[in-house]
Amino acid sequence: MQQKGTQSPWKRAGGENSQNRKVTDFYPVRRSSRKSKTELKCEEKKLIDDLITSGIEEGMEVQYIEGKGRAVFATRCFQKGDYVVEYHGDLLQITDAKKREAEYAQNPATGCYMYYFQYLCKTYCVDATKETGRMGRLINHSKNGNCQTKLHDINGVPHLILIASRNIDEGEELLYDYGDRSKASIAAHPWLKY
């Protein structure tokens, strides 16, 4: 029995003749605090942007291997898909890259750390030949590497990064496939076969 002057919740919610009522007429709406896939992707991109622009390279160290030279090893575990490091160097368009490559060819002791790639229908090159403290240029080749290259855009500028192609254990050498299968390259660098 209702008291005088009070209204039944049924009448308040939808009027006297309303037969269709919503759950929200009786219970407050609860919003999920979970983030959408898009929000998570945006956060991950921002984190990678920050690591690249600040030059932070964590979770790896350079070691010397007899008969092989310098190599980069994981000092922590990386999960499949994790950002590992940027292949950092001068970003060049193809015409400038070819000129530089011809200069490097004049002195075989210089070496060549040039990585060519396509981005928005243009060919670019990251020239990491100049010796720096950055580790991406020192990651060695293997056809069965544990890293792979990926393009990462920051404000319209492509950055070449390496991500884990599988789970990587602490102490494991970081490797990726350079992708060069030309006869001339294999003749000059037989280790490209492996």
Side-chain angles (χ1 to χ4, degrees):
M1 178 145 182
Q2 284 186 339
Q3 293 180 343
K4 252 185 172 179
T6 62
Q7 215 178 30
S8 118
W10 297 104
K11 288 181 182 179
R12 265 185 282 141
E16 287 188 37
N17 297 327
S18 177
Q19 295 297 314
N20 298 325
R21 293 175 191 84
K22 300 179 282 185
V23 172
T24 54
D25 292 338
F26 305 102
Y27 301 101
V29 175
R30 288 179 40 203
R31 300 282 180 218
S32 172
S33 60
R34 288 186 286 178
K35 295 179 181 177
S36 70
K37 207 173 199 178
T38 304
E39 287 175 304
L40 292 172
K41 286 275 187 200
C42 285
E43 285 180 6
E44 181 184 13
K45 183 186 180 330
K46 183 173 178 355
L47 175 66
I48 294 171
D49 288 358
D50 292 345
L51 290 170
I52 290 170
T53 54
S54 64
I56 294 173
E57 297 181 335
E58 298 175 323
M60 64 200 94
E61 69 181 6
V62 178
Q63 295 178 15
Y64 186 82
I65 299 175
E66 194 63 43
K68 187 174 185 178
R70 293 179 290 180
V72 180
F73 286 81
T75 58
R76 69 169 180 89
C77 295
F78 289 94
Q79 298 301 308
K80 181 178 180 176
D82 282 356
Y83 168 81
V84 177
V85 70
E86 179 188 14
Y87 188 85
H88 181 77
D90 296 333
L91 180 65
L92 305 171
Q93 294 204 14
I94 187 138
T95 50
D96 296 329
K98 290 296 182 186
K99 288 176 192 171
R100 255 199 220 179
E101 194 170 15
E103 290 172 24
Y104 295 150
Q106 301 300 314
N107 183 359
T110 303
C112 187
Y113 294 75
M114 300 180 86
Y115 194 105
Y116 290 88
F117 62 93
Q118 295 279 321
Y119 179 72
L120 299 177
C121 302
K122 281 185 161 181
T123 301
Y124 290 93
C125 173
V126 173
D127 180 6
T129 304
K130 183 179 169 188
E131 194 68 48
T132 66
R134 305 297 289 268
M135 289 186 261
R137 67 186 291 277
L138 300 177
I139 295 178
N140 288 317
H141 166 80
S142 171
K143 281 187 179 178
N144 301 312
N146 49 21
C147 295
Q148 64 188 39
T149 58
K150 182 179 176 184
L151 289 175
H152 184 85
D153 179 285
I154 300 178
N155 300 322
V157 178
H159 292 262
L160 191 62
I161 64 172
L162 295 167
I163 61 167
S165 57
R166 62 169 174 76
N167 292 344
I168 301 171
D169 294 326
E170 182 178 340
E172 203 175 331
E173 183 180 1
L174 299 174
L175 302 161
Y176 75 100
D177 186 350
Y178 290 1
D180 192 348
R181 305 282 190 272
S182 70
K183 288 182 181 180
S185 293
I186 291 172
H189 309 290
W191 44 264
L192 283 171
K193 289 188 281 189
Y194 308 104

